[in-house]
Amino acid sequence: MTKLKKFDNTFYPVLMFMILILLWQVIIVFGDVSKFILPSPIDIVKAFIEDFSLLMTHTKVTLEQSILGFVIAILFAFFISILMDRFSFIKKSLYPVLVISQTVPIIAITPLLIIWFGFGLITNIFIIILVCFFPITVSLVDGFEKVDKDYINLFKTMEASKWHLFFHVKLPSAMLNFFSGLKIAATYMVMAAVIAEWQGGTKGIGVYMVRVKNAYALDKVFASIIVIVIVSIAFIYAIDFIAKKVTHWK
């Protein structure tokens, strides 16, 4: 039954995707749509193969920035969420600020960051941190709050310290929320890097997209989108794999 469910979860999405691709190709061919308006899936695949080496060169730069910003965001999120869990006044002070910060479009503050920090790596990483920090922090804080009170009371009767209570009860219990936050952040991570590169990068998949867009090579634009999708999905699956290993007791 489980194998059948896994097959259904894989088969139907793939089937729907293939149908959409086929419809796309049919509309382009029989509708006589210009390549400069909307390239066909075949044109996109050809562009992907032709520019594969260049795409990989730019993707490597984007990946390095994304991973570095992601790791820093995780470390910073852990630090802030622990403080918010440990001291209620910090949570009451910071939580509304974090929520309000998410109402500001990242693309709107990117020019300000460029003015303050200049073009290049620092600005790009800072943007990635800003985007990834919120979902990880909120997930951790919520995970710390949802710990079973009976476990906490049991540890207190054993005269456990607050740090023992945190490391042996709260942190393991919050892991499910933590990895959920990581998967959300991972979907935004590459997008944030691309937006940063749009605004002022010299290398990266975002820079590649801007250049081919200005040349009206829409097939190459779609090829770069394919790369972004593949990288994002790969990160999500990697996080999901690690989550299953870490939270095997689930």
Side-chain angles (χ1 to χ4, degrees):
M1 192 70 180
T2 304
K3 290 183 179 180
L4 181 61
K5 185 177 180 180
K6 288 182 178 179
F7 175 78
D8 288 346
N9 291 340
T10 304
F11 174 74
Y12 289 112
V14 171
L15 178 63
M16 177 57 67
F17 180 75
M18 297 303 295
I19 291 173
L20 291 174
I21 293 296
L22 181 61
L23 286 174
W24 183 356
Q25 183 67 39
V26 169
I27 291 170
I28 296 297
V29 173
F30 291 97
D32 195 25
V33 180
S34 172
K35 181 179 176 180
F36 298 102
I37 302 299
L38 181 65
S40 70
I42 293 176
D43 291 329
I44 295 169
V45 171
K46 288 180 180 178
F48 182 84
I49 295 172
E50 290 173 1
D51 267 22
F52 181 78
S53 178
L54 185 59
L55 278 167
M56 292 303 102
T57 300
H58 285 288
T59 302
K60 180 183 176 183
V61 176
T62 302
L63 275 176
E64 290 172 350
Q65 295 176 358
S66 300
I67 293 172
L68 182 56
F70 193 57
V71 171
I72 295 174
I74 293 172
L75 295 175
F76 193 46
F78 253 104
F79 176 72
I80 295 298
S81 59
I82 290 171
L83 287 179
M84 291 171 69
D85 177 69
R86 182 71 177 81
F87 304 102
S88 59
F89 73 92
I90 294 181
K91 180 181 178 181
K92 292 176 182 178
S93 302
L94 280 182
Y95 202 92
V97 175
L98 292 176
V99 174
I100 292 172
S101 69
Q102 297 306 296
T103 63
V104 181
I106 193 66
I107 199 168
I109 64 172
T110 302
L112 294 175
L113 297 176
I114 292 173
I115 293 172
W116 294 337
F117 302 110
F119 295 99
L121 184 64
I122 295 177
T123 299
N124 294 355
I125 291 176
F126 196 80
I127 292 171
I128 296 167
I129 294 172
L130 285 177
V131 171
C132 296
F133 169 73
F134 178 79
I136 301 173
T137 303
V138 171
S139 297
L140 270 173
V141 172
D142 288 345
F144 293 150
E145 284 186 347
K146 292 178 181 177
V147 177
D148 193 328
K149 301 302 180 184
D150 290 336
Y151 287 125
I152 294 177
N153 293 331
L154 175 62
F155 268 67
K156 285 182 178 179
T157 58
M158 299 167 67
E159 299 183 352
S161 66
K162 290 183 178 180
W163 287 112
H164 278 98
L165 185 63
F166 176 80
F167 283 109
H168 293 287
V169 180
K170 285 191 172 184
L171 187 59
S173 298
M175 282 295 99
L176 293 177
N177 290 68
F178 169 64
F179 282 107
S180 296
L182 280 187
K183 285 191 279 188
I184 295 171
T187 61
Y188 297 147
M189 176 182 62
V190 179
M191 175 197 70
V194 170
I195 291 174
E197 290 164 355
W198 283 349
Q199 299 296 317
T202 55
K203 287 183 179 180
I205 197 69
V207 175
Y208 173 87
M209 288 182 72
V210 171
R211 290 174 180 172
V212 295
K213 176 185 71 69
N214 292 338
Y216 295 96
L218 295 190
D219 52 345
K220 295 183 179 180
V221 173
F222 276 96
S224 60
I225 292 173
I226 290 174
V227 173
I228 294 170
V229 171
I230 291 172
V231 170
S232 298
I233 292 174
F235 271 111
I236 293 171
Y237 272 98
I239 292 170
D240 195 47
F241 175 79
I242 295 171
K244 288 179 180 177
K245 297 296 181 181
V246 174
T247 60
H248 57 85
W249 43 266
K250 182 182 67 171

